[in-house]
């Protein structure tokens, strides 16, 4: 038994399949490549322009405290969820317009930057080191202090019992 070891043509071998799959990876070569030019000294690229740092946005975010007349059904929804959807054409009376960040009225701070975005100390009552400590009230002379039970302020039992939210 003899075997012939003739080379396979590209049409009959499997290698032509792989070549066609990855042919897009090979750089295209042109038969007439131009001769390389002698290197010339190139000046360094110009420095990129200085990046301007954008100023922080210190503008106010205006909100309005509103008064809206609602039906009893919407009132119960608003009480439960804390929000409701207004119907089209509903008139809403703005009681006050103020900044959401610094909580100051529109007419007082409309021309200035928002103090909350600069420094938020105005919301906590100024410098805490200079502020007076809270005084514990002294009970009246005829009062009697009765020890009570402990109040659970953490966990699901505190939520269910109404410590973290008002009782309904």
């Amino acid at each position: 038994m003899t075997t012939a070891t003739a080379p396979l043509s590209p049409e009959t071998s499997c290698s032509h399949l792989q070549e066609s799959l990855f042919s897009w990876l090979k750089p295209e070569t042109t038969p007439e490549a131009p001769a390389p030019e002698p290197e010339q000294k190139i000046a360094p690229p110009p420095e990129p322009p200085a990046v301007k740092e954008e100023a922080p946005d210190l503008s106010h975010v205006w909100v309005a405290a509103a008064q809206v007349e609602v039906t009893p059904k919407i009132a119960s929804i608003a009480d439960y969820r804390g929000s409701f959807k207004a119907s089209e054409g509903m008139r809403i009376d703005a009681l006050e317009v103020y900044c959401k960040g610094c909580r100051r009225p529109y007419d007082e701070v409309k021309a200035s930057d928002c103090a909350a975005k600069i420094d938020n100390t105005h919301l906590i009552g100024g410098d805490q080191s200079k502020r007076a400590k809270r005084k514990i009230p002294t009970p009246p002379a005829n009062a009697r202090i009765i020890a009570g039970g402990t109040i659970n302020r953490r966990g699901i039992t505190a939520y269910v019992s109404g410590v973290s939210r008002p009782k309904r």
Side-chain angles (χ1 to χ4, degrees):
M1 189 186 226
T2 58
T3 56
T5 56
L8 296 175
S9 66
E11 292 82 20
T12 59
S13 69
C14 293
S15 65
H16 75 282
L17 295 174
Q18 291 179 350
E19 289 175 5
S20 64
L21 286 176
F22 300 108
S23 62
W24 60 274
L25 288 175
K26 296 178 185 176
E28 292 184 21
T29 56
T30 56
E32 297 177 17
E37 296 181 15
E39 286 190 33
Q40 298 176 357
K41 292 186 179 181
I42 300 173
E47 293 182 15
V51 178
K52 295 179 183 177
E53 291 185 21
E54 294 182 15
D57 181 24
L58 299 176
S59 61
H60 293 278
V61 178
W62 301 112
V63 294
Q67 184 174 9
V68 180
E69 189 174 326
V70 294
T71 63
K73 180 182 176 185
I74 293 178
S76 66
I77 292 170
D79 182 49
Y80 179 72
R81 291 190 180 159
S83 65
F84 67 96
K85 292 185 178 181
S87 60
E88 185 179 345
M90 179 182 280
R91 174 126 176 114
I92 299 173
D93 299 325
L95 300 175
E96 183 181 10
V97 178
Y98 59 94
C99 176
K100 186 177 181 180
C102 64
R103 299 186 185 267
R104 292 184 177 161
Y106 175 79
D107 55 350
E108 288 181 13
V109 293
K110 62 184 171 187
S112 63
D113 293 333
C114 183
K117 293 181 180 176
I118 298 169
D119 185 14
N120 222 4
T121 56
H122 70 285
L123 290 177
I124 57 174
D127 187 10
Q128 297 294 307
S129 63
K130 296 179 183 175
R131 200 164 121 189
K133 300 295 178 188
R134 292 189 179 127
K135 296 178 183 176
I136 299 173
T138 56
N142 60 353
R144 198 172 74 183
I145 297 176
I146 301 171
T150 59
I151 299 172
N152 183 10
R153 298 182 193 277
R154 294 192 173 94
I156 190 69
T157 56
Y159 179 77
V160 172
S161 64
V163 173
S164 61
R165 62 174 179 78
K167 292 183 179 179
R168 297 203 178 248

